[in-house]
Amino acid sequence: MNLLVNTEGCREALIALEDGTVLRGRGFGAPGEAFGEIVFNTSMVGYQEIVTDPSYAGQIVTFTYPQLGNYGITSTDAQSERPRLRGVVAHDVCRTPSNWQCVQSLPDYIAQSGVVGIEDVDTRALTLRIREAGAMRAAISTVDLDPKSLLSRVRSSAGIGDHNYVADVSCDGPRVVHARGEERHHVVAYDCGMKEGIVEHLAQAGCEVTVVPWDTPAEDALALHPDGVFFSNGPGDPTSVPHVPDAVRTVLGKLPVFGICLGNQMIALAAGGSIQKLPYGHHGGNEPVMNLLTGRVEVTAQNHNYGVVFPSLGRLVPELSGGVAEHPADGDLRAWSRARIAPVVRNERYGRIRLTHVNLNDGTPEGLQFLDVPAFAVQYHPEARPGPNDSAYLFESFARLMDGRDDYLAIDVREGRCR
């Protein structure tokens, strides 16, 4: 594919994918080059939250919505102090936004952080290529405009799993975020690339949150005498991140534990489970997920390329899994949603683990609940920054788990919606 767009007054740019796809467009943001793993995001709004989400470190994000930047950048919507992704791909970018809260245009905003962008490319065709070939190495360049040269350099670049991106985006030292209203609990939150919206929701649930760096020894976290421990979202391949599974193993069984996204994967690794890379991941604000405990379907915000392999956590317990003794042969967990069963496996380390949430698009696992130790986790982002509010109840679930309630996950989605 080769789309000629060299608009007068704007620098020409190329984007190359390792499968040989090369698109020509025009640059915006910072001049230069960006190498990373290319993915696509299907959200229609919330581009500021997306470009500042630390989970995108090491990645180039293609926005499927055709126009980007219409309402500019606000002073309140960022999920970290600056953009964290490697590059931005768009069809049409607005340089003159209109919004009473706007303080800056999107091109100027990403340029300040050295983020390279390319527009005037066919993002529909590009998204189809990623769906067909999977997430892959890619590059955007405004300096190397030779397709063969750029493609060769892409194919020799490092993969997303070759680097620990969590270490790049975690905080440098502890900080405290006070509870909003009456304080119910004190939580230590491991910052593996945590979004500000997650911290805010924990605080809104009545938690004083002590945020600590990703590599904090579990003994140091326990010395703070928290009521619970939280493991956050974050970027990259979870198997390239040391220390965190060890911290999970140390605290599981001692205190209530909650994990989101990368935190979910870390909890599974701590339990001896395995992780798989999804073909092109889940990135957007419209992923349907069934809560197997309530039968409710939640429309969720997600951002991950890796997921837990549920059968790797143990063999099914038939008497707790509707009489079923074998995992689905095709790995599609939607059979459990159709049967309205939340299956349970026997784990060698932590006893019984229940599957609580299933993705209705592809049948991948989206939530786990430990039945013999106080812990649960989900693969998606319930804080909705950006995205729908259907899963915001999970922060209240964590508070109820720390209260000692057994029914902490059985909350109707309507109870937890943001007000």
Side-chain angles (χ1 to χ4, degrees):
M1 290 180 285
N2 185 15
L3 303 179
L4 179 61
V5 185
N6 188 15
T7 301
E8 183 177 353
C10 297
R11 54 186 176 275
E12 190 176 4
L14 286 183
I15 180 169
L17 282 58
E18 67 176 289
D19 71 342
T21 301
V22 179
L23 299 175
R24 193 175 298 273
R26 58 188 176 118
F28 72 97
E33 295 181 328
F35 288 78
E37 180 181 63
I38 191 163
V39 298
F40 61 86
N41 187 294
T42 57
S43 294
M44 298 177 66
V45 295
Y47 52 79
Q48 182 176 352
E49 292 93 326
I50 292 166
V51 301
T52 55
D53 181 349
S55 292
Y56 278 120
Q59 294 185 316
I60 296 170
V61 179
T62 301
F63 286 84
T64 61
Y65 192 72
Q67 291 186 315
L68 208 63
N70 292 15
Y71 54 86
I73 298 296
T74 75
S75 60
T76 59
D77 291 336
Q79 296 303 297
S80 59
E81 70 272 15
R82 58 183 175 81
R84 293 295 193 173
L85 75 184
R86 287 282 178 83
V88 178
V89 185
H91 176 66
D92 179 46
V93 175
C94 176
R95 289 167 172 78
T96 56
S98 177
N99 173 17
W100 68 275
Q101 293 179 304
C102 174
V103 297
Q104 196 174 24
S105 72
L106 175 63
D108 289 344
Y109 182 62
I110 67 170
Q112 287 180 350
S113 295
V115 175
V116 181
I118 184 172
E119 66 170 322
D120 277 349
V121 298
D122 188 341
T123 50
R124 295 170 300 178
L126 182 57
T127 298
L128 290 174
R129 286 303 301 147
I130 300 170
R131 281 183 59 91
E132 293 167 2
M136 65 192 97
R137 292 172 294 175
I140 302 171
S141 181
T142 64
V143 293
D144 185 353
L145 301 180
D146 180 344
K148 290 183 178 180
S149 170
L150 188 59
L151 181 58
S152 175
R153 295 170 62 209
V154 167
R155 289 172 172 169
S156 63
S157 64
I160 192 78
D162 295 335
H163 180 73
N164 177 10
Y165 287 96
V166 168
D168 296 341
V169 298
S170 182
C171 58
D172 295 327
R175 65 184 175 104
V176 175
V177 178
H178 296 292
R180 305 293 185 259
E182 182 181 357
E183 181 183 329
R184 297 167 62 183
H185 298 289
H186 173 217
V187 171
V188 168
Y190 274 77
D191 180 5
C192 298
M194 185 161 52
K195 297 162 71 176
E196 284 300 313
I198 289 176
V199 182
E200 179 64 26
H201 273 68
L202 286 169
Q204 288 176 0
C207 299
E208 177 171 287
V209 185
T210 301
V211 181
V212 298
W214 70 280
D215 56 352
T216 299
E219 293 76 14
D220 292 354
L222 293 173
L224 297 172
H225 305 293
D227 301 309
V229 181
F230 173 78
F231 293 91
S232 83
N233 65 294
D237 183 344
T239 62
S240 68
V241 184
H243 309 308
V244 181
D246 294 333
V248 175
R249 277 189 286 270
T250 300
V251 301
L252 275 176
K254 292 185 174 69
L255 292 171
V257 171
F258 178 28
I260 286 177
C261 203
L262 184 75
N264 176 55
Q265 298 159 17
M266 292 300 177
I267 290 171
L269 287 173
S274 59
I275 305 298
Q276 64 178 340
K277 186 169 186 181
L278 305 177
Y280 46 84
H282 302 150
H283 308 277
N286 52 3
E287 293 277 344
V289 168
M290 176 175 281
N291 181 331
L292 298 175
L293 302 180
T294 65
R296 294 284 186 182
V297 175
E298 306 163 23
V299 180
T300 66
Q302 305 203 11
N303 178 15
H304 58 271
N305 268 11
Y306 296 84
V308 175
V309 180
F310 179 64
S312 70
L313 293 170
R315 296 184 61 83
L316 287 171
V317 181
E319 58 270 27
L320 298 176
S321 306
V324 180
E326 300 294 333
H327 291 284
D330 59 1
D332 189 340
L333 301 181
R334 284 174 290 189
W336 300 115
S337 65
R338 290 190 291 269
R340 298 296 191 270
I341 294 172
V344 176
V345 299
R346 177 76 61 181
N347 182 260
E348 292 183 358
R349 298 180 181 177
Y350 298 107
R352 298 167 301 161
I353 301 177
R354 172 187 282 156
L355 177 71
T356 57
H357 297 76
V358 171
N359 188 299
L360 298 182
N361 279 344
D362 61 8
T364 53
E366 295 280 3
L368 302 171
Q369 179 187 20
F370 288 61
L371 299 182
D372 296 314
V373 298
F376 74 108
V378 294
Q379 187 56 55
Y380 47 95
H381 289 203
E383 86 295 339
R385 301 287 177 88
N389 297 320
D390 294 17
S391 304
Y393 69 90
L394 290 166
F395 297 98
E396 174 61 24
S397 291
F398 188 33
R400 293 186 184 187
L401 176 60
M402 289 184 285
D403 288 337
R405 293 180 55 169
D406 293 332
D407 62 345
Y408 61 93
L409 273 180
I411 300 177
D412 190 295
V413 296
R414 293 170 296 186
E415 290 186 40
R417 290 187 190 277
C418 293
R419 294 174 175 82

